[in-house]
């Protein structure tokens, strides 16, 4: 186990808490068992979810790192705690869709399951009070959240993340339908992938299962009351570990 000490609570979100450490270049993230959906209108405690999401995220961040993509991840602290670099989070949620699902099919006449090639990239304004609205180019410009160059950098990085994750998940029998990532700037101004990458933030379908509900191995099981949420997340971890067994512990 690492010698880092947990400092003060810096931020508490719906699924994670962020704490300082004695090293200003490191913060600690605790993954909670809280599950929320529909802007926290639906809530539950799912024992074991925090550990599963932390371990899955750690392995996926290591995968991105191995592919040369920058992330905030430094290593595991314990099974549900991660050591990361502190970043200034860009208040934009980047969603990449390889297959139509979720909000896209509620807002557009596109049938669920329709392949999207090239993948669709949607930007949302990260603000719960406004319900994370979809951004247009013009709205993004008015808000002045990022420069045009930074936006381009964010989009290029997000698409590269998609390429790496798509191939990785396909190799373990999972279809990456869509996912959300958050990005941040480090103290030196580098853009890195931050937050988490887990079944809370990705839609993942088991390629070996035909049934449109049975194949779901992500948070849609919670959103749609399908049951077996933790079991599904456990299956995702098992598949991911088939390719890369153990995440590194930060030392
Ligand atoms: N997503 C997320 N956090 C959000 C919104 C979406 O992690 O606040 C993920 C979601 O799990 C899915 C993808 O982003 O993998 C696309 O979500 P969508 O826009 O379809 O919204 P939803 O159907 O979740 O309302």
């Amino acid at each position: 186990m690492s010698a880092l000490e947990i400092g003060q609570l810096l931020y508490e979100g719906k699924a994670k808490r962020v704490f300082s450490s004695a090293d200003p270049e490191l913060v600690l993230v605790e993954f909670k068992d809280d599950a929320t959906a529909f802007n926290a209108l639906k809530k539950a405690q799912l024992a074991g979810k925090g550990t599963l999401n932390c371990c899955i995220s750690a392995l996926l961040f290591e995968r991105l790192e191995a592919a040369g993509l920058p992330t905030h991840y430094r290593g595991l602290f314990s099974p549900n705690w991660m050591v990361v670099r502190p970043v200034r989070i860009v208040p934009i949620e980047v969603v990449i869709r390889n297959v139509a699902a979720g909000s896209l099919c509620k807002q557009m006449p596109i049938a669920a399951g329709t392949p999207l090639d090239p993948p669709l990239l949607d930007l949302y304004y990260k603000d719960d009070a406004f319900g994370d609205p979809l951004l247009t180019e013009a709205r993004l410009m008015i808000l002045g959240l990022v420069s045009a160059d930074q936006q381009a950098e964010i989009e290029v990085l997000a698409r590269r993340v998609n390429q790496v994750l798509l191939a990785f998940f396909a190799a373990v029998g999972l279809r990456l339908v869509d996912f959300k990532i958050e990005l941040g700037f480090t103290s030196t101004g580098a853009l890195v992938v931050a937050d988490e990458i887990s079944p809370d933030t990705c839609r993942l379908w088991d390629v070996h299962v035909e049934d449109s509900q049975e194949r779901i191995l992500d948070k849609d099981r919670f959103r749609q009351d399908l049951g077996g949420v933790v079991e599904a997340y456990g299956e995702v971890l098992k598949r991911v570990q088939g390719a890369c067994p153990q995440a590194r512990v930060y030392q």
Side-chain angles (χ1 to χ4, degrees), residues 83-157:
V83 185
V84 306
R85 285 189 282 176
V87 295
R88 183 170 55 81
I89 288 283
V90 178
I92 295 174
E93 298 192 341
V94 184
V95 170
I96 300 227
R97 303 173 191 277
N98 296 302
V99 178
S103 68
L104 178 68
C105 304
K106 293 198 184 100
Q107 295 163 359
M108 302 281 156
I110 303 174
T114 307
L116 301 165
D117 191 15
L120 178 63
L121 184 150
D122 283 330
L123 301 179
Y124 294 83
Y125 178 43
K126 179 179 157 62
D127 190 322
D128 285 341
F130 289 98
D132 296 344
L134 181 64
L135 284 165
T136 61
E137 289 289 330
R139 288 182 187 199
L140 185 55
M141 206 188 292
I142 289 173
L143 292 177
L145 302 174
V146 285
S147 67
D149 283 353
Q150 286 171 334
Q151 184 190 345
E153 197 188 349
I154 287 167
E155 294 188 5
V156 166
L157 181 52

Side-chain angles (χ1 to χ4, degrees), residues 14 38 93 95-97 101-104 106 124 132 178-180 199-203 219-220 223:
K14 293 191 282 280
F38 313 119
E93 298 192 341
V95 170
I96 300 227
R97 303 173 191 277
S103 68
L104 178 68
K106 293 198 184 100
Y124 294 83
D132 296 344
D178 60 25
F179 65 94
K180 181 263 309 186
D200 268 4
T201 62
C202 301
R203 284 196 170 90
K219 191 165 149 182
D220 274 348
R223 294 187 187 99

Side-chain angles (χ1 to χ4, degrees), residues 145-249:
L145 302 174
V146 285
S147 67
D149 283 353
Q150 286 171 334
Q151 184 190 345
E153 197 188 349
I154 287 167
E155 294 188 5
V156 166
L157 181 52
R159 288 194 184 276
R160 290 176 66 200
V161 168
N162 184 46
Q163 284 166 352
V164 173
L165 294 182
L166 247 187
F168 173 69
F169 281 126
V172 295
L174 296 174
R175 189 168 191 199
L176 178 60
V177 172
D178 60 25
F179 65 94
K180 181 263 309 186
I181 52 169
E182 295 185 23
L183 301 107
F185 290 103
T186 65
S187 57
T188 57
L191 181 71
V192 298
V193 181
D195 193 48
E196 68 178 287
I197 306 175
S198 73
D200 268 4
T201 62
C202 301
R203 284 196 170 90
L204 295 163
W205 293 349
D206 189 337
V207 297
H208 307 299
V209 177
E210 282 279 317
D211 184 87
S212 63
Q213 290 194 335
E214 295 281 304
R215 69 185 175 189
I216 295 172
L217 295 176
D218 57 65
K219 191 165 149 182
D220 274 348
R221 298 205 72 83
F222 176 66
R223 294 187 187 99
Q224 297 173 28
D225 287 321
L226 299 177
V229 182
V230 172
E231 291 76 7
Y233 286 32
E235 178 62 25
V236 171
L237 178 61
K238 203 170 93 188
R239 301 275 182 102
V240 171
Q241 283 178 324
C244 39
Q246 210 86 71
R248 68 170 178 260
V249 173

